[in-house]
């Protein structure tokens, strides 16, 4: 029998009969930062259950890279977290370098550190812009994009691309900086702290901002660790875990910086941590630039770094420069990449980004697995939004700083 | 919250004062179609095959390095032997620009600096064929780029800065700008 109108009206107000009110948030919702879909069960405006549905941006990057050589697969890592592609490239290159046992020259390490920190600043700026816009502060959005534009321009001068940079390569970086770039970066680091102060003037003590962020999505330290949060989301809860300090890679052991931590573990503390991180990133860039002057004229690619055109076979003759003629000749046969497996993680702007690579000795990776921070952070959303209002879901997604390109891969 | 701050809206006033100050600073907006931002040297844009000024032909020798290194496999090359001069010549050189990811690997591995990603970025097409560049289109792209180019052009990947010379093939070591 078809349900009548009377039956429907009777259902309302009956707690046993009442079905949960289901709302599908996304995948086209502008505040889900990509194509995240949240299946929400609501009681009035309070969230009872939240179920993230992911996979709308799945491109199979891990599988794709099995059919590519190591150098070709690096281009794919640009598309993981497309806001901070330089950091992704660096993590991948570090993993392959560990397999190969390559020692990267100091200048290349410094250059990589600079582009990684630039990626951190530009990622945090985009996070602040969209997070503030979601919560209702439009001016900050415009200011942040203005400053991010400057960084993208510098990227364009460094390597010729603004977003998908592909700047590091296995064994170093692809190009050295020109003196103009170094001058412009000095100018940037000079000016950027005042810009951060500007954003803080706008929203740090703003009552609307405080009401929307203080006490929202509180994560105690133990819970944050159990949920697998990393990066600023974990440090907001007061756990001073930073890969740059615990397992320093590139030039992070040479530079001085602090790891800011929060106290309460709410959205406001995570905001404060990211703002402070931008200042520290600025400081790191400054120190690296000073150190760059000491390594003037040094090579930026390691001796014995693989050619971009890697052979796909298991064993191939190594190209060695001919002593007199100006070209490479074939040397002895060596394994292209030694057999083995390796896990390397770096502190990406979003959190701990890990690469697990299994090599069977050929020029193609047998398996590449990416430990993406956004994927883990999305799994924490249901816990964090439980009992909050629908409007606070926006704040939670914003505060975790997820990028779906990285989550779905 | 501080009661004085609550009543007098000091933090809101501070923020408004900041935005008011910014009103008098120089605008950073670029009115795009009318004015354009300068493109950085070495920007990875539309593909082109370098025309050798001496021979008037392409520089490409058909070694297939770019086709092999391309991550998206968008370069297609066919070579043949010229019956008169007994030299290898490039019969077909095609780039499917829609598949390209603009990583710049091709220009970096090219031993004779034949393929470049020019600084030209404003190109569209109504059909897919419009962005399927064959050899003539690629050479025409280069000519078009050179006529619009105001400063002398040197692609940074022709001779990567900071890469030791012995790691580069000989023609790359003495690469010159156009």
């Amino acid at each position: 029998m078809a349900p009548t109108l009377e039956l429907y009206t009777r259902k309302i107000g009956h707690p046993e009969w009442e079905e949960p009110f289901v709302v599908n948030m996304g995948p086209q919702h502008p505040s889900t930062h990509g194509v995240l879909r949240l299946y929400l069960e609501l009681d009035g405006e309070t969230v009872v259950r939240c179920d993230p549905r992911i996979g709308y941006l799945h491109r199979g990057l891990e599988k794709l890279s099995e059919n590519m050589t190591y150098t070709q697969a690096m281009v794919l890592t640009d598309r993981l977290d497309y806001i901070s592609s330089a950091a992704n490239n660096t993590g991948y290159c570090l993993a392959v370098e560990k397999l190969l046992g390559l020692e990267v020259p100091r200048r290349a390490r410094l250059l990589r550190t600079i582009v990684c920190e630039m990626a951190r600043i530009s990622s945090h700026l985009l996070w602040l812009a969209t997070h503030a816009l979601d919560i209702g502060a439009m001016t900050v959005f415009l200011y942040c994009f203005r400053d991010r534009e400057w960084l993208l321009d510098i990227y364009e001068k460094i390597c010729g691309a603004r977003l998908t940079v592909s700047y590091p390569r296995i064994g170093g970086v692809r190009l050295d900086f020109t003196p103009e770039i170094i001058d412009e970066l000095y100018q940037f680091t000079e000016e950027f702290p005042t810009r951060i102060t500007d954003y803080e003037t706008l929203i740090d003590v703003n009552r609307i901002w405080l009401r929307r962020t203080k006490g929202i999505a509180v994560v105690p330290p133990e819970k944050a660790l159990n949920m697998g949060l990393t990066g600023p989301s974990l440090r907001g809860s007061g756990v001073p875990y930073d890969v740059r300090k615990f397992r320093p890679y590139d030039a992070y052991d040479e530079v001085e910086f602090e790891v800011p931590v929060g106290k309460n573990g709410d959205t406001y503390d995570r905001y404060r941590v990211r703002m402070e991180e931008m200042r520290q990133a600025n400081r790191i860039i400054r120190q690296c630039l000073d150190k760059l002057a000491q390594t003037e004229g040094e090579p930026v690619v390691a001796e014995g770094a693989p050619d971009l055109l890697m052979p796909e076979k298991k064993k191939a003759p190594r190209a060695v420069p001919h002593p007199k003629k100006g070209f490479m000749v074939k040397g002895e046969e060596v394994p292209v990449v030694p057999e083995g497996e390796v896990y390397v993680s770096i502190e990406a702007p979003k959190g701990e980004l890990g690469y697990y690579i299994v090599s069977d000795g050929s020029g193609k990776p047998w398996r590449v697995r990416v430990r993406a921070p956004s994927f883990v952070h999305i799994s924490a959303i249901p816990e964090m939004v439980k009992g909050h209002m629908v409007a606070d879901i926006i704040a939670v997604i914003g505060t975790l700083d997820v990028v779906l390109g990285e989550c779905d891969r | 919250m501080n009661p004085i701050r609550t009543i007098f809206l000091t933090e809101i006033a501070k923020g408004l004062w900041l935005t008011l100050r910014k009103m008098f600073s120089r605008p950073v907006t670029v009115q795009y179609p009318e004015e354009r931002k300068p493109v950085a040297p070495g920007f990875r844009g539309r593909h082109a095959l370098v025309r050798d000024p001496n021979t008037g032909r392409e520089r490409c020798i058909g070694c297939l390095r770019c086709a092999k290194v391309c991550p998206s496999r968008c370069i297609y090359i066919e070579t043949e032997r010229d019956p008169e001069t007994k030299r290898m010549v490039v019969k077909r050189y095609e780039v499917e620009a829609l598949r390209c990811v603009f990583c710049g690997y091709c220009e970096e591995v090219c031993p004779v600096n034949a393929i470049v990603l020019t600084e030209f970025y404003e190109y569209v097409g109504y059909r897919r064929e419009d962005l399927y560049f064959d050899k003539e289109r690629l050479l025409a792209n280069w000519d078009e780029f050179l006529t619009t180019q105001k400063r002398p052009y040197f692609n940074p990947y022709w001779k990567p800065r900071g890469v030791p010379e012995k790691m580069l093939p000989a023609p790359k070591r003495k690469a010159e700008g156009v």
Side-chain angles (χ1 to χ4, degrees):
Chain A
M1 201 184 85
T4 57
L5 185 69
E6 191 195 358
L7 210 79
Y8 275 123
T9 45
R10 236 184 324 134
K11 267 192 169 179
I12 296 166
H14 255 271
E16 302 111 64
W17 289 2
E18 210 163 356
E19 287 170 11
F21 189 76
V22 173
V23 171
N24 269 302
M25 192 172 162
Q28 276 92 21
H29 194 282
S31 294
T32 52
H33 294 206
V35 283
L36 172 65
R37 176 176 155 218
L38 294 175
Y39 173 89
L40 302 171
E41 285 181 7
L42 306 176
D43 173 23
E45 247 196 278
T46 317
V47 181
V48 180
R49 199 167 79 90
C50 167
D51 191 6
R53 308 268 162 100
I54 57 168
Y56 288 91
L57 206 59
H58 177 69
R59 292 149 295 171
L61 291 185
E62 289 176 2
K63 188 70 193 168
L64 266 177
S65 51
E66 288 170 21
N67 291 317
M68 290 181 167
T69 61
Y70 283 91
T71 40
Q72 287 174 339
M74 198 205 76
V75 175
L76 296 178
T77 60
D78 276 325
R79 276 92 188 155
L80 283 173
D81 173 5
Y82 36 80
I83 299 158
S84 56
S85 43
N88 302 336
N89 294 159
T90 307
Y92 178 80
C93 289
L94 282 168
V96 182
E97 278 153 17
K98 201 172 168 190
L99 264 177
L100 286 163
L102 274 178
E103 182 71 33
V104 182
R106 179 150 179 260
R107 191 173 174 84
R109 279 190 279 135
L110 287 168
L111 292 177
R112 273 191 200 176
T113 313
I114 291 175
V115 290
C116 274
E117 291 308 309
M118 279 168 66
R120 191 179 312 282
I121 293 179
S122 100
S123 168
H124 283 358
L125 278 178
L126 191 116
W127 163 81
L128 178 65
T130 50
H131 188 42
L133 186 70
D134 290 347
I135 286 179
M138 178 96 187
T139 317
V140 185
F141 169 79
L142 296 170
Y143 288 177
C144 288
F145 264 72
R146 176 196 61 190
D147 297 341
R148 184 165 168 267
E149 186 70 20
W150 193 356
L151 272 176
L152 295 186
D153 281 346
I154 297 175
Y155 266 130
E156 188 183 324
K157 280 169 191 153
I158 289 173
C159 61
R162 294 162 64 82
L163 219 55
T164 51
V165 290
S166 297
Y167 177 62
R169 59 172 278 179
I170 297 160
V173 293
R174 284 171 73 189
L175 290 172
D176 201 350
F177 282 9
T178 55
E180 297 88 61
I181 296 168
I182 293 173
D183 287 345
E184 191 163 359
L185 271 170
Y186 266 122
Q187 210 183 329
F188 177 83
T189 47
E190 197 78 35
E191 196 146 325
F192 189 61
T194 60
R195 304 278 175 97
I196 301 177
T197 321
D198 278 1
Y199 315 142
E200 284 176 347
T201 315
L202 282 172
I203 52 176
D204 222 15
V205 287
N206 187 300
R207 62 189 67 193
I208 305 166
W209 182 262
L210 291 179
R211 291 239 175 106
R212 290 299 306 272
T213 54
K214 279 241 170 175
I216 302 294
V218 180
V219 188
E222 307 84 46
K223 201 174 161 190
L225 283 170
N226 287 344
M227 290 196 294
L229 299 185
T230 43
S233 309
L234 176 66
R235 291 193 282 274
S237 301
V239 185
Y241 174 70
D242 191 320
V243 184
R244 292 175 292 174
K245 283 276 186 204
F246 276 65
R247 290 186 297 277
Y249 53 94
D250 281 349
Y252 284 111
D253 47 356
E254 296 182 30
V255 290
E256 284 174 25
F257 64 100
E258 285 153 27
V259 179
V261 287
K263 256 195 300 221
N264 308 323
D266 58 0
T267 305
Y268 185 76
D269 275 18
R270 286 187 281 269
Y271 150 75
R272 283 301 323 154
V273 165
R274 287 204 174 90
M275 295 303 264
E276 205 48 51
E277 247 180 39
M278 281 202 268
R279 285 213 175 82
Q280 297 300 331
N282 199 55
R283 209 173 130 201
I284 294 172
I285 293 179
R286 194 61 193 244
Q287 290 175 45
C288 287
L289 286 173
D290 290 341
K291 284 178 201 293
L292 266 188
Q294 303 164 7
T295 59
E296 197 66 59
E298 282 178 23
V300 293
V301 184
E303 195 90 9
D307 191 34
L308 278 185
L309 183 60
M310 282 174 92
E312 294 175 7
K313 292 180 289 185
K314 287 210 172 184
K315 271 192 163 187
R318 173 179 285 168
V320 285
H322 192 275
K324 279 187 190 155
K325 297 172 192 165
F327 52 80
M328 313 289 254
V329 289
K330 284 178 182 175
E332 50 170 340
E333 288 232 332
V334 284
V336 180
V337 173
E339 264 183 61
E341 47 194 81
V342 67
Y343 177 80
V344 169
S345 66
I346 62 156
E347 184 71 24
K350 310 275 185 299
E352 183 177 338
L353 174 74
Y355 286 95
Y356 177 67
I357 300 179
V358 182
S359 158
D360 61 349
S362 66
K364 291 175 178 176
W366 191 78
R367 176 84 168 97
V368 176
R369 155 85 189 148
V370 184
R371 190 260 183 221
S374 298
F375 180 70
V376 183
H377 287 183
I378 283 175
S379 73
I381 289 179
E383 275 294 304
M384 288 169 81
V385 298
K386 204 165 274 179
H388 280 302
M389 297 284 160
V390 173
D392 292 332
I393 298 172
I394 307 292
V396 172
I397 297 170
T399 191
L400 284 175
D401 195 11
V402 292
V403 163
L404 270 292
E406 186 180 46
C407 169
D408 294 343
R409 298 191 284 279
Chain B
M1 209 186 265
N2 192 331
I4 299 168
R5 223 199 264 163
T6 317
I7 297 163
F8 291 103
L9 301 164
T10 46
E11 91 279 3
I12 304 267
K14 262 191 196 165
L16 287 175
W17 174 243
L18 180 87
T19 46
L20 189 73
R21 252 191 1 222
K22 292 286 172 196
M23 269 173 72
F24 300 104
S25 62
R26 249 180 68 222
V28 290
T29 320
V30 178
Q31 302 294 337
Y32 166 61
E34 285 86 35
E35 45 183 301
R36 293 191 163 95
K37 278 171 80 175
V39 185
F43 182 79
R44 310 203 288 250
R46 186 168 73 172
H47 318 72
L49 270 179
V50 178
R51 194 188 286 277
D52 197 335
N54 300 328
T55 58
R57 287 174 61 91
E58 70 283 349
R59 270 189 200 162
C60 180
I61 50 171
C63 66
L64 302 179
R65 277 173 76 84
C66 50
K68 274 185 208 154
V69 84
C70 181
S72 54
R73 295 180 186 129
C74 66
I75 304 178
Y76 180 76
I77 306 174
E78 225 173 79
T79 53
E80 63 177 3
R81 199 171 281 280
D82 194 343
E84 286 170 22
T85 56
K86 300 275 185 274
R87 292 185 64 168
M88 291 292 267
V89 285
V90 181
K91 198 168 120 202
R92 287 170 73 188
Y93 193 107
E94 287 165 8
V95 174
E96 193 178 348
L98 292 170
R99 280 175 67 181
C100 179
V101 296
F102 299 94
C103 58
Y105 276 12
C106 49
E107 42 178 6
E108 198 174 336
V109 296
C110 183
V112 290
N113 298 331
I115 177 123
V116 286
L117 296 174
T118 57
E119 292 164 20
F120 188 80
Y121 59 92
E122 294 163 306
Y123 56 103
V124 286
Y126 284 107
R127 281 161 295 135
R128 277 169 179 268
E129 297 86 70
D130 293 349
L131 295 173
Y132 191 90
F133 300 137
D134 56 7
K135 201 172 87 177
E136 276 63 47
R137 283 283 306 277
L138 286 166
L139 286 167
N141 285 351
W142 174 252
D143 295 337
E144 193 189 335
F145 169 65
L146 275 195
T147 49
T148 52
Q149 183 72 359
K150 290 185 184 69
R151 55 171 184 253
Y153 179 69
F154 185 78
N155 193 308
Y157 291 105
W158 282 355
K159 189 182 179 186
R161 298 184 295 265
V163 177
E165 273 215 339
K166 63 178 180 185
M167 289 177 78
L168 296 174
K172 263 187 139 63
R173 291 182 203 174
K174 42 182 192 275
E176 279 169 20
V178 185

